[in-house]
């Protein structure tokens, strides 16, 4: 049996919580003064993971009500359900968009930060996003078919939608990407990270992905911000579409927004564990074998594999 500790070493007056609270306050204040002046304002001033998780799950139910929605739903009631849930999701998204807009404008010391103007802009952005939902659903239908047709283990398209992590990841991505295109970068990134935590698949919301995209298995896949992916592309687990280098400004800071990730043309297949780096193009119909390290462009209809020597 382990020897019991000496009770005399423990504080007699509890945990000294007040002291710890004050020390944490000082550290927080130092950080805010140096890095986050907006945090001096009272209250929660940026979008919420919790609210956005509810928004994206509700939109998923709206897009696929009978398969992802509640068990009691049927074809007679699904339109009512879709309308009700869509209204709920868009109102919640509107509140989050207002938070991000306020955050952006204050960070830029922009004068356009009063509630009236923010509400007008936020309403327009949410309305424009809502109009993209039919197109998102159409793209997802093609993604689901690509997964079903590309995986001999898939018995039905319903199984693919309900069970495949790659489909959940691309569903979240297609929502996040539309918000990213509307300069709602923080909201889009939060939604992307929700997908990452739930599936193990990390897709930056800026990545441009055409229809018929299939991630088989999926765990460990990483797709960078400036990646461009054509139609009917298939990736397997642990594939990385990353950057080879990070150019710097004269002051040593990283340059932002430069193309630095691969372009995959239509019908490309990349097998498990392959790493493709840099702003290079993998030509149409090419296949990249497992565990390949690729940093140069590949012409169409190529086959790249590890050397057997």
């Amino acid at each position: 049996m382990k020897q019991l500790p000496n009770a005399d070493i423990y504080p007699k007056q509890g945990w000294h919580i007040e002291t710890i609270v004050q020390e944490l306050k000082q550290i927080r204040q130092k950080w805010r003064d140096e890095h986050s002046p907006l945090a001096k304002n009272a209250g929660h001033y940026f979008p919420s993971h919790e609210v956005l998780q509810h928004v994206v799950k509700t939109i998923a139910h709206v897009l696929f009500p009978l398969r992802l929605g509640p068990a009691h739903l049927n074809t007679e009631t699904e339109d009512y359900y879709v309308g009700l849930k869509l209204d709920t999701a868009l109102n919640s998204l509107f509140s989050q968009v207002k938070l991000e807009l306020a955050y952006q404008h204050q960070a830029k010391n922009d004068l356009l930060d009063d509630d009236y103007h923010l509400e007008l802009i936020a309403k327009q952005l949410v309305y424009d996003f809502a109009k993209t939902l039919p197109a998102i659903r159409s793209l997802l239908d093609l993604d689901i078919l690509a997964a079903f047709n590309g995986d001999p283990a898939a018995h039905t398209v319903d199984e693919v939608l309900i069970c495949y992590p790659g489909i959940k990841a691309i569903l979240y991505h297609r929502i996040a990407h539309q918000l990213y295109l509307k300069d709602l970068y923080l909201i889009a990134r939060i939604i992307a990270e929700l997908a990452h935590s739930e599936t193990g698949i990390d897709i930056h919301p800026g990545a441009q992905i055409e229809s018929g995209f299939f991630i088989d298995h999926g765990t460990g896949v990483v797709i960078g911000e400036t990646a461009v992916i054509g139609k009917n592309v298939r990736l397997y687990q642990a594939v990385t579409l990353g950057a080879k280098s990070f150019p710097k400004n004269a002051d040593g800071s990283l340059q932002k927004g430069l193309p630095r990730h691969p372009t995959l043309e239509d019908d490309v297949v990349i097998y498990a564990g392959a790493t493709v780096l840099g702003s290079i193009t993998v030509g149409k119909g090419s296949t990249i074998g497992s565990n390949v390290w690729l940093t140069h462009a590949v012409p169409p209809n190529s086959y790249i594999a590890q050397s057997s020597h």
Side-chain angles (χ1 to χ4, degrees), residues 240-244 260-262 275-280 293-296:
T240 297
L241 305 181
K244 183 181 178 183
R260 58 193 184 278
H261 299 101
T275 299
V276 185
L277 300 180
S279 183
I280 63 173
W293 182 276
L294 184 64
T295 58
H296 61 82

Side-chain angles (χ1 to χ4, degrees), residues 217-247:
H217 302 295
T219 304
V221 165
V222 177
I223 301 174
E225 178 187 21
T226 62
V228 178
I229 297 176
K231 295 179 180 178
N232 304 316
V233 169
R234 185 190 314 171
L235 308 182
Y236 286 80
Q237 67 270 23
V239 166
T240 297
L241 305 181
K244 183 181 178 183
S245 61
F246 302 96

Side-chain angles (χ1 to χ4, degrees), residues 51-65 68-69 81-82 85-94 126 129-130 132-134 136-137 140 171-172 174-176 178-179 187 191:
V51 173
L52 289 171
Q53 184 173 46
H54 183 262
V55 167
V56 75
K57 287 183 180 296
T58 303
I59 291 174
H61 293 181
V62 165
L63 292 172
F64 299 97
L68 299 183
Y81 173 83
V82 167
K85 289 300 181 179
L86 182 58
D87 185 63
T88 299
L90 295 178
N91 280 318
S92 294
L93 180 60
F94 170 67
V126 173
F129 166 76
T132 69
L133 291 175
I136 289 175
R137 166 64 202 249
L140 289 168
L171 191 161
Y172 279 43
R174 295 208 183 281
I175 293 170
Q178 288 300 322
L179 295 165
I187 290 175
I191 292 173

Side-chain angles (χ1 to χ4, degrees), residues 246-308:
F246 302 96
K248 295 182 179 180
N249 296 308
D251 62 1
S253 62
L254 294 179
Q255 294 184 20
K256 306 286 187 177
L258 296 178
R260 58 193 184 278
H261 299 101
T263 293
L264 310 184
E265 294 185 342
D266 297 350
D267 305 311
V268 167
V269 178
I270 304 183
Y271 283 97
T275 299
V276 185
L277 300 180
S279 183
I280 63 173
T281 297
V282 178
K284 180 178 180 179
S286 294
T287 298
I288 310 300
S290 295
N291 301 316
V292 165
W293 182 276
L294 184 64
T295 58
H296 61 82
V298 172
N301 301 310
S302 298
Y303 177 73
I304 308 295
Q306 281 190 321
S307 173
S308 59

Side-chain angles (χ1 to χ4, degrees), residues 127-198:
Y127 175 70
D128 290 344
F129 166 76
K131 290 192 297 183
T132 69
L133 291 175
I136 289 175
R137 166 64 202 249
S138 295
L139 283 172
L140 289 168
D141 284 345
L142 295 174
D143 298 328
I144 292 166
L145 285 174
F148 174 72
N149 292 327
D151 185 3
H155 294 86
T156 66
V157 290
D158 297 324
E159 176 189 355
V160 168
L161 173 61
I162 294 169
C163 302
Y164 279 37
I167 293 300
K168 175 180 276 191
I170 191 63
L171 191 161
Y172 279 43
H173 172 75
R174 295 208 183 281
I175 293 170
H177 183 64
Q178 288 300 322
L179 295 165
Y180 180 91
L181 292 177
K182 293 165 180 53
D183 297 336
L184 297 168
Y185 303 123
L186 188 53
I187 290 175
R189 195 62 186 269
I190 289 171
I191 292 173
E193 287 307 313
L194 290 171
H196 185 195
S197 66
E198 293 181 23

